[in-house]
């Protein structure tokens, strides 16, 4: 059951990039809408459960939520430079390196030498897998993706996602305790990003059609966040996060099938092999103690 809870966020988060791309609009509208949906989920679940929340149990998930909003904006922005099936494996690979390492360094996870050996070999495997999914056949003429602009956005965003995952672990609070503070942080962070980048234009974005529709992404994401925060307590940082990153399979294959992002046979072969490497490494990491 613990592993099933750990995988649930992968499904709920994996469809987010697909929905965002289908809805279109500007990254800031997608971010604000996602923030709305996340906050709604946080408030509704809090009303029904009413967990006691200490100051520290509020602070760290809240700060993680603020960091998430920056990361989410960077990711949405990367989709304007690269397609989903290319951007998501890179984003996933970066987070799969950073977050387990934080679990090992700060929380003493992967305690035995054997666990560390398997863990670091798994990270090497997922790096190779991420490289495979990003393979581009230079012989094919198509609309060029701006990797030089897109990859830095994904790198910066990865640190925000890492903070969002690691900060709640500091207090080891349950998912129900951490959800409301984190969704408050997500919404406040989205507003801060919006006003810093757009000033008074933000008032228009707050009520735009795309922003409202993007609330669906946030609702699904909020349910995924609840499952993930619960998994953090059940499985630990170094184990919980890799399980969620199977969302890369959902978003990458969805990008190819639903969004009809073109890859030739050679590129698809590399992508499938890379995804298998990512999934295998995530499963290996997920079974470490």
């Amino acid at each position: 059951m613990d592993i099933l809870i750990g995988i649930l966020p992968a499904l709920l988060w994996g469809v987010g990039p697909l929905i965002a791309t289908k809805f279109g609009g500007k990254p800031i509208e997608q971010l604000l809408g996602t923030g709305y949906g996340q906050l709604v989920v946080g408030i509704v679940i809090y009303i029904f459960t009413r967990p006691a929340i200490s100051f520290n149990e509020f602070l760290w998930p809240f700060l993680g939520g603020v960091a998430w909003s920056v990361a989410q904006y960077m990711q949405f922005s990367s989709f304007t430079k690269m397609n989903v099936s290319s951007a998501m494996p890179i984003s996933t690979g970066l987070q799969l390196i950073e977050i387990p390492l934080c679990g090992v360094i700060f929380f003493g996870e992967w305690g035995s030498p054997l666990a560390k050996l398997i863990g670091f070999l798994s990270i090497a495997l997922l790096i190779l897998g991420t490289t495979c999914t990003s393979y581009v056949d230079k012989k094919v003429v198509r609309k060029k993706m701006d990797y030089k602009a897109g990859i830095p956005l994904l790198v910066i965003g990865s640190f925000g996602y890492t903070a969002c995952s690691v900060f709640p672990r500091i207090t080891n609070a349950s998912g129900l305790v951490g959800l409301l503070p984190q969704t408050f942080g997500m919404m406040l962070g989205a507003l801060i990003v919006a006003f810093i980048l757009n000033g008074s234009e933000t008032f228009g974005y707050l009520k735009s059609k795309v922003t409202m529709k993007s609330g669906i992404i946030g609702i699904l994401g909020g349910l995924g966040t609840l499952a993930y925060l619960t998994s953090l307590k059940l499985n630990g940082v170094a184990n919980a996060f890799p399980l969620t990153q199977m969302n890369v399979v959902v978003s990458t294959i969805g990008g190819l099938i639903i969004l009809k992002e073109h890859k030739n046979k050679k590129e698809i072969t590399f992508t499938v092999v890379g995804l298998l490497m990512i999934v295998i490494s995530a499963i290996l990491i997920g079974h470490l103690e």
Side-chain angles (χ1 to χ4, degrees):
M1 180 59 72
D2 292 358
I3 297 299
L4 290 177
I5 292 173
I7 292 175
L8 184 58
L11 302 175
L12 297 170
W13 291 346
V15 298
L18 307 177
I19 297 172
T21 303
K22 275 290 187 182
F23 286 166
K26 296 184 177 182
I28 198 63
E29 293 175 296
Q30 296 165 345
L31 175 63
L32 288 169
T34 304
Y36 284 159
Q38 295 268 19
L39 184 58
V40 166
V41 171
I43 291 173
V44 169
I45 291 178
Y46 177 80
I47 289 173
F48 282 98
T49 59
R50 296 296 180 91
I53 305 175
S54 70
F55 176 77
N56 281 335
E57 288 172 337
F58 183 93
L59 177 64
W60 290 107
F62 172 81
L63 293 176
V66 174
W68 170 92
S69 65
V70 176
Q72 192 72 9
Y73 178 76
M74 294 295 180
Q75 188 176 93
F76 284 145
S77 296
S78 76
F79 296 154
T80 67
K81 311 296 182 183
M82 307 161 58
N83 58 34
V84 171
S85 59
S86 296
M88 286 303 295
I90 296 172
S91 177
T92 297
L94 290 168
Q95 295 169 64
L96 273 167
I97 294 168
E98 295 166 10
I99 293 176
L101 288 178
C102 286
V104 172
I105 294 169
F106 297 112
F107 303 114
E109 298 176 5
W110 300 357
S112 70
L114 179 60
K116 286 184 173 67
L117 176 62
I118 295 173
F120 288 119
L121 288 176
S122 299
I123 287 176
L125 180 64
L126 73 89
I127 292 173
L128 180 59
T130 301
T131 303
C132 287
T133 61
S134 304
Y135 173 78
V136 177
D137 190 344
K138 295 181 179 179
K139 296 179 181 179
V140 179
V141 178
R142 60 164 70 96
K143 182 179 177 181
K144 189 176 181 180
M145 290 186 289
D146 191 353
Y147 282 95
K148 288 185 178 179
I151 290 179
L153 293 171
L154 294 172
V155 171
I156 295 170
S158 71
F159 293 115
Y161 286 130
T162 296
C164 183
S165 296
V166 173
F167 284 0
R169 181 73 169 84
I170 293 174
T171 61
N172 203 30
S174 69
L176 289 176
V177 170
L179 182 62
L180 182 64
Q182 190 165 79
T183 55
F184 266 128
M186 289 172 171
M187 188 68 245
L188 179 61
L191 290 171
I192 291 171
V193 171
F195 278 104
I196 288 175
L197 296 178
N198 300 282
S200 60
E201 292 182 20
T202 299
F203 292 108
Y205 294 141
L206 286 170
K207 56 186 179 181
S208 73
K209 184 180 293 187
V210 173
T211 298
M212 294 299 123
K213 289 195 299 183
S214 296
I216 295 172
I217 306 171
I219 290 172
L220 295 175
L223 295 174
T225 299
L226 173 61
Y228 175 57
L229 291 173
T230 302
S231 179
L232 277 177
K233 188 171 179 65
L234 295 174
N235 299 307
V237 173
N239 297 330
F241 184 76
L243 294 173
T244 71
Q245 293 312 285
M246 291 185 192
N247 68 20
V248 70
V249 178
V250 178
S251 56
T252 302
I253 294 178
L256 295 172
I257 297 175
I258 298 173
L259 302 180
K260 303 188 185 303
E261 296 174 347
H262 177 70
K263 287 181 182 282
N264 64 19
K265 185 179 290 186
K266 187 176 182 180
E267 291 170 329
I268 289 176
T269 300
F270 271 92
T271 297
V272 171
V273 170
L275 289 175
L276 287 173
M277 290 181 181
I278 291 172
V279 170
I280 290 170
S281 64
I283 291 173
L284 288 173
I285 293 171
H287 282 82
L288 295 178
E289 296 181 358

